[in-house]
Amino acid sequence: MIASMVALADGAFAQVVQYPVTPKNDHVDEYHGTKVQDPYRWLEDDRSPETAAWVKEENELTFGYLNKIPFRGKIFADLEKAYNYPKYSAPSKKGPYFYFYKNDGLQNQSVLYRQKGLKGNPEVVLDPNKLSADGTTRLGVFSLSKDGKYAVCGFSKGGSDWQVYEVMDMATLKMLPDKVEWVKVSQAAWQGDGFFYSRYPKPEGSALAAKNENHQVFFHKIGTQQSDDKLVFEDSANPQRFHTLGTTEDEQYAVLTVSDRGKGKDGNGLWVLKRGESRFIPVKEEITDFSFGVIENLKDGFLIETNENAPNGKVLFYDMKSKVWKPFLAEKPEPLQGVGAAGGKLFASYSKDVTTRIYVYDQEGSLENEVKLPGLGTAGGFGGEKEDTFVFYTYTSFNYPPTIFRYDIATRNSTVFREPEVSFRPDDYETKQVFYPSKDGTKIPAFITYRKGLKLDGSNPTILYGYGGFNISLTPAFSPTRIPFLDQGGVFVQANLRGGSEYGEKWHEQGMKLKKQNVFDDFIAAAEFLIKEKYTSPNKLAIQGGSNGGLLVGAVMNQRPELFKVAFPAVGVMDMLRFHKFTIGWNWIADYGSSDNAEEFKMLYGYSPLHNIKEGGKYPATMITTADHDDRVVPAHSFKYAAELQAKAGASSSNPLLIRIDTNSGHGASNTKKALETQADIYGFMFWNMGLVWK
């Protein structure tokens, strides 16, 4: 049965799209006196044959459409060629060995290696590509014991956030019988002959959709069964809290972080457990909107990074004996992004207009020097152990492929340790940072990247990418799959919207809860700026975002559909009234608010992508992307949104409104091949609907 048959008019690029009829039911919820229809509630059941049949029918439509794009295969070949070069992680040291990951180019998973010294011969420690036929089993955790004899290896399957922990004997590189299941939101923190970890009880119902509650911390002793693990901490009276535990380098303290985002609190409490003792000691007992994180233990206390009464962040010393907090690194005008410790030094990372600055301090908090970076970009790493004499860091920017540097602590000099072997000529491309006004006059930064010689005539195919939430900053970074797009005359724009961490906690707060509309206004203003400055035009502008960014794309599509030709909402939070009902969605209440609150319900209902699709509306060409194993933002968000969009606007929109549902994949692509396939389809769908040819 066909709901609508639409001829998409773009001359030679026309395709006829026949949308499936998605059955409706009469389900209605009432929120604070407002009745809200939810006719596609049945699509929330990810295990039902009806949902499986719907997914099959929608995928047949979408992939049938994509298969008719004549240059689809060429795009994939171009991306594969651009991506096919060796990629390395920065090494980390444990005992005589340096450990690192390497991907030869197109391997589905990076392989873990080790070598003795910096000039030793690498040997394979673990190759995840051999763990599944389709290469979708991922090594997400590798944590070595203090003596380097054992390692916890955390595996996830098909893109799920669930992990299984196993233990490797580092002498034989063989797995022991130990197996720990139902691990999520967890470290693997060693202490003596075992490790701490966090898990949930085995879920009732769907493992990929059921709400996760009662986060528990256990200690696993090597050589024992999981059923014998010791429960270290739980709080059943507050089931929607995260309890994560790490240990200090000397293993003398276990550090427990407790967050309560399910009750709308953005910060955390902090507790410590001294080795050999049984009672946690509170460092910060009350959970508020302030965050606290232990950097390292020092003397008789801890160095702690916090934003308490310091929205840009600072470092304090907490004396365990006197219970007194002492200043260590004062708040600066630039937001503190993180602090690493190695070689008796602290490496503080600050962000100035969304680019990294690194400063080195001694253990008294005195500034020693700034680490000179190659340019304006992003640097990360700077961690190690107290006896290290050097550290590694990785630097990247839009036109600078990730390069690993070695920083010598004594000489304060950086040298290139490993350059990428990528076929890329940075002088052929240009990135500029602009500051454009949002609706309320706030200046919003954005990076614009393109091939040199670009003409500002409004004809350039442009991707505008954004996120704007959860205190996450979008920083400059190189993407090999972006280069073929730029070579086709494309423009890539990364907007640093409010809600992120680009300018500290105040910037974050300006884009959360009742102020979420600021994020959408910032994104719309970016589009208007690009059109005004003739980088592009509405017929050549695509918008893209994932997760919270998928919500962003869905919201602005409803509010200003005429601004965009193409839209890519990926793994988005589309039902803002029910997001907290699934897996760990309650964790997002601190940023979004909740429909359980009357004032916040009104705000959420006013922009929720699912609930604001216009009957008979004219929408951009849309390809929603999600995956069957996404247990972070469950695919039901995208399923219901796609069904509603096709039902309300399928007949009235001259553009296709499709959903691409990946299999055996999760919140991000579960392997290299799937990532390249998805990106190729994004470029193909974009060019085809703009009337362009990929040459």
Side-chain angles (χ1 to χ4, degrees), residues 2-3 9 11 592 666 674 692:
I2 304 303
Y592 293 145
K674 288 180 178 292
L692 301 173

Side-chain angles (χ1 to χ4, degrees), residues 332-521:
K332 292 166 65 78
E334 299 80 25
L336 179 63
Q337 298 293 307
V339 182
K345 307 294 180 184
L346 294 180
F347 296 84
S349 175
Y350 291 88
S351 177
K352 182 175 176 60
D353 290 332
V354 206
T355 58
T356 302
R357 305 290 189 276
I358 302 291
Y359 299 97
V360 184
Y361 295 85
D362 66 19
Q363 291 195 338
E364 301 299 325
S366 296
L367 175 65
E368 293 193 342
N369 62 285
E370 179 179 357
V371 177
K372 299 299 182 183
L373 301 175
L376 299 179
T378 305
F382 299 101
E385 298 185 341
K386 291 181 179 179
E387 296 181 359
D388 289 345
T389 58
F390 58 86
V391 295
F392 294 100
Y393 66 91
T394 301
Y395 174 84
T396 184
S397 193
F398 292 104
N399 298 343
Y400 200 108
T403 302
I404 301 169
F405 289 84
R406 170 177 165 169
Y407 176 81
D408 187 272
I409 293 174
T411 66
R412 303 179 180 180
N413 290 327
S414 293
T415 53
V416 173
F417 176 74
R418 182 167 279 142
E419 288 185 292
E421 303 169 29
V422 58
S423 177
F424 172 69
R425 297 175 58 182
D427 290 342
D428 291 346
Y429 306 88
E430 184 175 352
T431 294
K432 66 165 60 175
Q433 186 179 35
V434 299
F435 294 83
Y436 63 89
S438 189
K439 182 178 181 179
D440 62 1
T442 301
K443 292 290 187 180
I444 309 298
F447 293 96
I448 306 175
T449 302
Y450 47 86
R451 193 174 178 90
K452 286 183 178 177
L454 182 79
K455 293 182 180 179
L456 298 181
D457 59 6
S459 66
N460 305 300
T462 299
I463 294 175
L464 172 59
Y465 182 85
Y467 187 79
F470 293 92
N471 208 28
I472 293 172
S473 180
L474 294 184
T475 58
F478 179 79
S479 168
T481 58
R482 191 180 299 139
I483 303 307
F485 168 69
L486 301 179
D487 288 344
Q488 296 288 326
V491 177
F492 179 78
V493 184
Q494 184 167 289
N496 295 103
L497 316 174
R498 283 175 283 185
S501 65
E502 286 86 345
Y503 292 100
E505 182 58 27
K506 289 182 179 179
W507 191 258
H508 174 212
E509 291 172 355
Q510 283 295 310
M512 59 191 292
K513 291 187 177 177
L514 300 179
K515 296 181 180 179
K516 189 67 177 177
Q517 182 60 41
N518 284 336
V519 183
F520 311 141
D521 290 342

